[in-house]
Amino acid sequence: MSVTDLTTAAAWMAGLAIVALVFAGWRKAARAAPRTPRAEPKLRRPRVPVGIAESTVPLYKPPNVFRRALSGVASVGLGLVIGVVSAILIAFGTAFLVVTMTDLLKS
């Protein structure tokens, strides 16, 4: 089988697939329309109002200075730890890549 025969067969398959997709969705609407009843339904549940309870809540109180400082120190610490771990992983990966490539060049 030559490349031309293979390309022709693939083109036929793609064309037939497109035709099948077009015929499968030929008469379908793009958006489903809701079916509206022609008459009022015989059984309808009575509409019961939902009660709403109102209650007062305390106003927003911003965190104190100690908590803000603690969150700042924690975020800096997490950033440092993540940076150190990622630097170590990148360094080991680069070293492994360099050693592997130099071994391949030597052989």
Side-chain angles (χ1 to χ4, degrees):
M1 180 176 239
S2 68
V3 175
T4 305
D5 294 338
L6 184 64
T7 306
T8 306
W12 271 105
M13 286 296 133
L16 290 174
I18 290 172
V19 169
L21 286 174
V22 166
F23 280 123
W26 181 253
R27 298 286 290 168
K28 293 183 181 178
R31 185 182 305 171
R35 293 184 181 180
T36 55
R38 296 180 184 267
E40 287 294 319
K42 303 283 190 243
L43 299 173
R44 176 176 278 187
R45 291 184 299 182
R47 295 188 181 192
V48 180
V50 177
I52 298 174
E54 293 185 16
S55 61
T56 58
V57 294
L59 295 176
Y60 173 73
K61 185 178 134 189
N64 57 10
V65 177
F66 176 71
R67 187 167 283 239
R68 287 185 185 204
L70 184 64
S71 67
V73 168
S75 62
V76 168
L78 282 172
L80 285 173
V81 168
I82 291 172
V84 166
V85 169
S86 62
I88 289 171
L89 290 175
I90 290 171
F92 274 112
T94 306
F96 178 76
L97 184 69
V98 168
V99 168
T100 304
M101 290 299 166
T102 53
D103 284 345
L104 287 175
L105 286 175
K106 288 179 184 176
S107 62

